Amino acid sequence: MRLNSSFFNKIGKMLDFYSQFNPSPLSIKQFLDFGMNKCESKSYVFLKKELPVRLANIMKEIALLPDNLLRTPSVGLLSNWYARSFEEVIEFEKTDPTSDNLKRFCMILSHIRDRHADVVQTMAQGIMELKDSQNIEPGMETSIQYFLDRFYMSRISIRMLINQHTLLFGEGSEHAKHIGCIEIDCDPKIVVKDAYENARWLCDQYYYGAPEIVVKEHNELERGEPINIVYVPSHLYHILFEIFKNAMRAVMETHQERGDIPPIQVIIVKGNEDICVKVSDQGGGIPRSSADQLFKYMYSTAPHPSKSDVHTVPLAGFGYGLPISRLYARYFHGDISLMSCDGYGTDAIIYMKRLSDEANELLPIFNKTSSRFYNKSTVSAGDWSNQSSLDMLNQWKLIREGN
């Protein structure tokens, strides 16, 4: 289901044109300034230029994926979604912000958001289709990992732009404490408890029980004052929900037969640079040999979902929960760090920028540097002594042939 040549001829030149430009990252403060001024015309003028740039940049990288992956039905479908959305947005390229155009633009953005609602699952299904059809070599896996980080980060950024505009200027979108999807006085403790309760419900359905939670706050800057942050609460919720699911599963599988379920400990800390949320469990920990695999899209400790479950069980068994959660954290220059004691438990620390003007979007840029990561002839050679036996033998063979 790859795009036909006539369609590419129609939008190809525009795609080449917009992919020459770098995306313009915004800070949370800039998003707020846009929203508080609430000038639909300014938002329209910015988005009709910025959205094609972001779409074109990632579409160029999609085209560099291995042919076998591009030919899968799922990735073909996804490519068509992006091309159609790009075409719809560039129709507004030379239009003025009249009342009719503003209304139509907002409606088109809503349609694009709905069209791309299943992008994560669809791309994941495409990877599964590729794995079913052939063995994926390490070089290809590295390229796919590189691409998926950039692809999903691009998706997060595009949805952020679309959600801000449609929430601010669409019908019935007013919310007292929000500017678009940004909460100006977000209480991390509330988000923690919300994510915990929903994860607990899932855990209880499967294990007939769930660990309790203990939440504490430490405000180093304003002793005794509650901790608040200007942030997108849905992003923080997504991260916490995934971490709680993993922690609860580990705790229940480690302690359920013993009958003594230790609680999950959460501490929220406000420091000079970051606001951190640390989630600590006693779920047995993670071996160091497996720790690096947890943020890889092709690794999962759960069974892969069947094709019929792809759209009914969100991300179940794909292994995408932690990698995408880390992207949500990194999107505004935060991060996620995992520290584990094998045999005891794991600490997951979420970092968020304390100051909204320092919380800038982290966006992928398509250029010659990024293109090299998809070059099949590029083979990374190990440069440390603990390489595999095969690599060592190959190097020894090359040395002997050289002599």
Side-chain angles (χ1 to χ4, degrees), residues 136-151:
I136 298 179
E137 298 177 353
M140 183 185 292
E141 183 174 345
T142 300
S143 295
I144 292 173
Q145 175 77 23
Y146 175 81
F147 166 76
L148 290 178
D149 272 341
R150 297 165 65 79
F151 176 73

Side-chain angles (χ1 to χ4, degrees), residues 14-216:
M14 298 302 295
L15 194 61
D16 290 339
F17 173 74
Y18 278 103
S19 65
Q20 298 176 73
F21 299 98
N22 290 343
S24 302
L26 300 175
S27 67
I28 289 181
K29 186 178 185 304
Q30 288 174 308
F31 275 112
L32 285 181
D33 291 342
F34 259 116
M36 292 173 78
N37 292 328
K38 207 167 182 179
C39 178
E40 188 172 3
S41 295
K42 287 184 179 179
S43 182
Y44 170 82
V45 170
F46 174 73
L47 289 186
K48 73 175 185 174
K49 298 293 185 183
E50 182 65 14
L51 283 173
V53 169
R54 297 193 186 193
L55 287 167
N57 269 253
I58 202 60
M59 288 169 71
K60 282 289 188 178
E61 295 200 35
I62 292 174
L64 294 175
L65 288 173
D67 288 341
N68 288 347
L69 180 55
L70 281 171
R71 284 196 293 267
T72 61
S74 295
V75 176
L77 177 63
L78 184 145
S79 297
N80 281 316
W81 289 346
Y82 270 80
R84 187 175 173 190
S85 297
F86 179 78
E87 185 186 34
E88 289 175 351
V89 173
I90 61 174
E91 286 180 4
F92 293 90
E93 182 188 31
K94 297 179 180 180
T95 59
D96 296 323
T98 63
S99 177
D100 286 345
N101 283 336
L102 291 176
K103 184 176 180 181
R104 191 163 61 90
F105 185 69
C106 197
M107 182 180 66
I108 288 294
L109 293 186
S110 295
H111 288 329
I112 291 173
R113 182 183 58 223
D114 294 343
R115 177 185 300 133
H116 291 244
D118 290 333
V119 158
V120 176
Q121 295 93 325
T122 304
M123 177 58 80
Q125 183 62 41
I127 301 297
M128 288 176 61
E129 291 164 6
L130 177 66
K131 291 175 73 174
D132 289 343
S133 65
Q134 69 175 83
N135 291 326
I136 298 179
E137 298 177 353
M140 183 185 292
E141 183 174 345
T142 300
S143 295
I144 292 173
Q145 175 77 23
Y146 175 81
F147 166 76
L148 290 178
D149 272 341
R150 297 165 65 79
F151 176 73
Y152 290 134
M153 185 69 91
S154 173
R155 179 180 184 269
I156 290 169
S157 77
I158 290 169
R159 287 183 71 83
M160 181 71 189
L161 294 180
I162 290 175
N163 283 336
Q164 278 299 100
H165 188 88
T166 54
L167 285 171
L168 288 168
F169 307 114
E171 295 181 2
S173 56
E174 293 294 331
H175 194 292
K177 296 179 68 176
H178 287 70
I179 303 295
C181 56
I182 299 172
E183 188 170 355
I184 55 179
D185 202 22
C186 178
D187 184 346
K189 184 184 283 189
I190 292 175
V191 184
V192 164
K193 290 182 177 179
D194 189 23
Y196 165 78
E197 289 298 336
N198 285 305
R200 175 179 181 149
W201 184 87
L202 283 180
C203 184
D204 191 56
Q205 297 297 304
Y206 192 84
Y207 294 103
Y208 303 104
E212 297 296 324
I213 188 175
V214 177
V215 183
K216 297 179 181 178

